[in-house]
């Protein structure tokens, strides 16, 4: 089995995106924009590693 390195950036982006999702439901629907941006950055980070 190959060992996979934990990507700290991906974990931080995911936690921030989850925070934006919580704010979307609790405060205002406009926070969804922040969540989408964080998800996009996360995907870019993951796809760049290949």
């Amino acid at each position: 089995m190959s060992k996979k390195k934990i990507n700290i950036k991906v974990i931080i982006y995911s936690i921030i995106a989850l925070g934006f999702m919580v704010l979307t439901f609790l405060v205002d629907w406009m926070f969804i924009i922040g969540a989408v941006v964080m998800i996009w950055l996360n995907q870019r980070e993951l796809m760049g590693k290949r």
Side-chain angles (χ1 to χ4, degrees):
M1 285 188 191
S2 64
K3 289 218 171 197
K4 294 194 176 203
K5 196 175 96 174
I6 295 175
N7 194 343
I8 299 298
K9 270 181 155 179
V10 171
I11 293 172
I12 292 171
Y13 288 161
S14 299
I15 291 171
I16 294 171
L18 284 173
F20 276 123
M21 290 301 292
V22 169
L23 288 173
T24 298
F25 288 108
L26 295 179
V27 181
D28 190 19
W29 65 272
M30 290 293 286
F31 282 105
I32 197 79
I33 296 169
V36 168
V37 168
M38 295 310 296
I39 292 169
W40 177 73
L41 286 172
N42 206 353
Q43 285 297 319
R44 204 175 77 173
E45 183 70 27
L46 286 171
M47 291 301 166
K49 297 294 178 192
R50 289 180 185 235

